[in-house]
Amino acid sequence: MFDLDERIRDWRATMLASMGDQAETVDELEGHLREEIQRLKRAGRPPEEAFVAAVARLGDCGELAAEFRKVPTLGPLSWRPAQVLLAVCGLLTLVLAGYVVKEVWQGKVSLLLASHVFAVTVGYSVVFAVGALAVWSLVARVALGWNDVRSAALRATMRSWTIVGLALTTIGIVLGAVWARGHLGRFWGWDVKESAALAVLAWNVVVLALVSRRRADPRLAMLIGLAGNVVVTLCWFGPNLVHSGLHAYGGVSWTPLVGFVAIQGLLVLLALAPPGLLRRVKGC
Amino acid sequence: MYIAGMKLNKDLVAASAAPLVLSILEKGESYGYALIQRVRDLSGGEIEWTDGMLYPVLHRLEDQGLIESRWRAAENGRRRKYYAIKGQGRKSLQAQREQWLAVHLTLAKLWGV
């Protein structure tokens, strides 16, 4: 017995396998397929014939996927929001580098310790940059709408930036351990901030695994970015509040930290709004 | 004007896809399936696209900033992606219109039609 819905589901699964992370595009093609099937059925064709004819008209899955791959995609260096953030982060990194070089030059801090601080600071900041991109994406999705091109650009950018963050954090941790061996007589002491650095490292690995998943809801990448803001905030500034161990400096108040985390929680609500909501409201 | 059953050259079909889509959208927003039907009706069946090949064209035009899209609920209860031309798209269409007309007029003179 011919089951039209089952055959359409099989077709959809084949298309998704060919198209990768373009679920929205497959939705569009499926809509087209269904309309063509309905037209052929209204013209008197039996469901099975209508399905076969409609699929043939739509085109071979592999050829279609190949055509879509030719459509230019946006990446970390070509996506405008990523370009802007990269420019801002690049500028801040240069300022930090200048400050660190000055401190080393003036003999206030050793090159080893300065390199550790620089690597960890930039490594952690990359997670914040990913978070900033996620916030932009959540807002843009509600204000302008969202599509597969932006989803792919967001995932590609998050992947490449997270790799950089992971590398820098790892280098920073290793440099810190070498410094600790020379000055404290041990590589690792499970200090609060040292342990938090491991948590940031682990978080980067989790992010890489999650954003590499194809066909995931685009909002997942955005929420991961927000979660990264919380993780790094707690791991970077939280230990300063503990006032113990090697990195017990600061006297930072809890309020800004809690406030920042609360804002991330509110931003999660944007993920629940339908895409293009503000555009539709303006058009009413 | 057209010989029945004539197949258009693939390159010609590909080159004409963007101006055809932009010209139809200039009249009002539409969606993929309706665009295919409109082209088929206007050409009397002479321009036959592999239906799916329209969508990379639409995505490319959107990526270039010439058209924009939004999902809306359709009469059948499913959601449907509608496309509309943007200001930049109208400017591009005007430029393409001039180019195609220049080619058409030159060939018409050469062929005495």
Side-chain angles (χ1 to χ4, degrees), chain A residues 103-127:
Chain A
E103 294 290 289
V104 171
W105 188 259
Q106 291 175 351
K108 291 181 183 175
V109 70
S110 69
L111 178 60
L112 181 60
L113 185 59
S115 303
H116 154 73
V117 168
F118 179 80
V120 169
T121 302
V122 178
Y124 282 16
S125 299
V126 166
V127 182

Side-chain angles (χ1 to χ4, degrees), chain B residues 25-49:
Chain B
L25 291 179
E26 193 190 28
K27 306 282 187 286
E29 69 169 14
S30 188
Y31 56 99
Y33 189 77
L35 282 164
I36 297 255
Q37 300 305 318
R38 186 85 181 111
V39 169
R40 196 174 287 147
D41 292 342
L42 284 169
S43 69
E46 292 301 334
I47 301 179
E48 287 273 0
W49 290 334

Side-chain angles (χ1 to χ4, degrees), chain B residues 6 20 41 43-44 54 80 83 86 100:
Chain B
M6 176 182 66
L20 279 169
D41 292 342
S43 69
L54 168 68
R80 192 188 266 155
Y83 294 87
K86 292 172 73 174
W100 278 91

Side-chain angles (χ1 to χ4, degrees), chain A residues 22 24-25 27-32 34-36 39 56-60 63-64 67-68 70-74 146-149 279-280, chain B residues 31-33 36-37 40 48-60 62-63 68-71 74-76 78-81 83:
Chain A
Q22 299 192 58
E24 196 182 85
T25 301
D27 284 346
E28 197 177 5
L29 292 170
E30 182 183 336
H32 183 109
R34 286 180 180 273
E35 293 203 50
E36 179 64 4
R39 186 186 72 82
R57 285 197 79 98
L58 201 54
D60 173 75
E63 285 174 14
L64 270 176
E67 279 304 311
F68 275 105
K70 291 180 195 169
V71 178
T73 54
L74 296 171
W146 200 251
N147 56 37
D148 284 342
V149 173
R279 207 169 62 175
R280 272 181 263 163
Chain B
Y31 56 99
Y33 189 77
I36 297 255
Q37 300 305 318
R40 196 174 287 147
E48 287 273 0
W49 290 334
T50 305
D51 289 8
M53 294 303 175
L54 168 68
Y55 293 94
V57 174
L58 288 168
H59 289 206
R60 194 173 283 116
E62 189 174 12
D63 188 53
E68 59 186 356
S69 66
R70 65 176 81 178
W71 288 91
E75 316 83 41
N76 55 14
R78 296 183 60 82
R79 59 178 200 150
R80 192 188 266 155
K81 197 171 186 183
Y83 294 87

Side-chain angles (χ1 to χ4, degrees), chain A residues 176-217:
Chain A
V178 170
W179 180 90
R181 181 73 178 94
H183 290 78
L184 304 173
R186 54 45 166 200
F187 283 112
W188 194 264
W190 293 106
D191 175 77
V192 175
K193 208 139 189 178
E194 289 172 339
S195 305
L198 280 185
V200 173
L201 206 65
W203 173 251
N204 280 317
V205 173
V206 167
V207 169
L208 275 178
L210 289 175
V211 297
S212 298
R213 282 178 58 209
R214 296 162 108 196
R215 303 178 221 160
D217 190 314

